[in-house]
DNA sequence: ATAGTTGCAAAAGCTTTGCAGTATG
DNA sequence: CATACTGCAAAGCTTTTGCAACTAT
């Protein structure tokens, strides 16, 4: 088990992948889509659609909520972002290109997220695939807990 | 790794635990709450609030949605049920008393859920606790995949 | 030109909340 | 008999959808 840091800004490569995906699947290459991708690849947190929408509204490139949701969906399809359901309220996303596969540990008091990698998870996936009638396509492991130091400044979901 | 079967009906014990919890925490012992607990402990699936509401409406003991949500919350507090966020749409629940700890594998095409146990997960939890500044209180591992046989009869979430 | 996209607002779906009436302790 | 609980409906929030205007190809 190792705690990892996933921050990076490989947006140049991500843009290329996105272009290809759009072309190969008959989608249009609109400036809104690239503006959203760029915004996402400059963040290092686990954001939700609303946070992305609000941040882009303030920035130089305004896009509508509908476009945000639409683009998040396309980016999920081509695996440039991952979708998370840490709780029942909102779907959260994070960039994935250039980021090692990892899982999440989250503090239920303050929302702080720590990312880690553990090769045993991969072994479990293989075993599950072998012992069931299913082809495994993905997984999500979320470890819930509470910070030992006082993290009493309230719950800030995006980390 | 082993696939497990979690069906059972230990409702007698669960009722006792619920009674104690309600008493110790200043909650009232209303018939609605026990009717809901009983309904839950006679199911062996991963249900959502609406399914429970609809089923109880048809049965001999009608309760309101508000009461369903309220009671599900209390039952979570005393660990008689577990909450799951398999996808971003609805929160699902399952009974936990008398059920071995386990994780879930879910087919993204038909919604079929298979339950399994793997002792390596417990090891990962311990490692995460040791390598972070967090006290681990729980976890959720969901393995996503697709049935190999054709499960084309559509998505039925409750399994 | 012509279809895919955007933006806006309305609608949908799950969950929470307010309040008047009810029943538990 | 005081106050927590229930039921109902309304409100709240996130996400989806319908449609006219727009634009990438």
């Amino acid at each position: 088990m190792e705690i990892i840091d996933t921050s990076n800004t490989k947006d140049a490569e991500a843009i290329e992948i996105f272009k290809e995906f759009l072309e190969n699947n008959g989608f249009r290459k609109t400036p809104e889509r690239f503006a959203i991708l760029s915004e996402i690849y400059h963040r290092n947190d686990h954001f939700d659609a609303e946070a992305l929408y609000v941040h882009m509204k303030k920035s130089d490139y305004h896009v509508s909520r509908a476009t945000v949701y639409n683009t998040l969906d396309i980016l999920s399809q081509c695996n440039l972002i991952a979708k998370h359901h840490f709780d029942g309220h909102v779907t959260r996303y994070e960039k994935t290109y250039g980021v090692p596969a990892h899982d999440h540990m989250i503090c239920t008091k303050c929302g702080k997220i720590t990312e880690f990698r553990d090769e045993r998870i991969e072994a479990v996936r293989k075993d599950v695939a072998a012992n069931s009638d299913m082809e495994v396509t993905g997984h999500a492991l979320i470890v819930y807990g509470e910070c030992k130091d006082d993290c009493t400044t309230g719950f800030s979901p995006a980390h």
Side-chain angles (χ1 to χ4, degrees), chain A residues 2-3 5 17-18 42 73 99 104-105 115 134 149 155:
Chain A
E2 66 216 66
I3 307 293
D5 175 19
I17 293 169
F18 195 32
H42 282 84
D73 186 47
V99 173
H104 299 85
M105 164 175 21
E115 299 175 299
M134 227 157 128
D149 48 41
F155 194 89

Side-chain angles (χ1 to χ4, degrees), chain A residues 53 102 128:
Chain A
Y53 168 72
H102 61 272
V128 167

Side-chain angles (χ1 to χ4, degrees), chain A residues 84-96:
Chain A
H84 297 295
H85 309 293
F86 295 133
D87 57 51
H89 301 298
V90 296
T91 299
R92 294 211 260 152
Y93 305 85
E94 68 177 326
K95 65 186 174 196
T96 49

Side-chain angles (χ1 to χ4, degrees), chain A residues 74-129:
Chain A
I74 299 174
L75 288 170
S76 291
Q77 285 178 45
C78 60
N79 293 311
L80 282 171
I81 62 175
K83 257 174 135 142
H84 297 295
H85 309 293
F86 295 133
D87 57 51
H89 301 298
V90 296
T91 299
R92 294 211 260 152
Y93 305 85
E94 68 177 326
K95 65 186 174 196
T96 49
Y97 182 77
V99 173
H102 61 272
D103 289 292
H104 299 85
M105 164 175 21
I106 180 166
C107 171
T108 51
K109 282 193 298 184
C110 73
K112 183 184 169 193
I113 291 176
T114 308
E115 299 175 299
F116 66 91
R117 236 175 49 73
D118 193 310
E119 60 288 337
R120 284 169 290 195
I121 303 304
E122 184 53 36
V124 171
R125 273 179 62 146
K126 285 214 175 81
D127 252 31
V128 167

Side-chain angles (χ1 to χ4, degrees), chain A residues 56-73:
Chain A
M56 295 206 64
K57 194 175 197 171
K58 284 185 208 157
S59 80
D60 45 345
Y61 210 106
H62 177 271
V63 293
S64 69
R65 275 195 190 79
T67 301
V68 166
Y69 278 101
N70 174 321
T71 304
L72 286 173
D73 186 47

Side-chain angles (χ1 to χ4, degrees), chain A residues 34-54:
Chain A
F34 288 102
I36 291 170
L37 175 62
S38 166
E39 167 61 24
I40 291 172
Y41 268 72
H42 282 84
R43 312 181 68 116
N44 288 310
D45 59 351
H46 301 79
F47 59 93
D48 61 32
E50 186 65 17
L52 184 61
Y53 168 72
V54 168

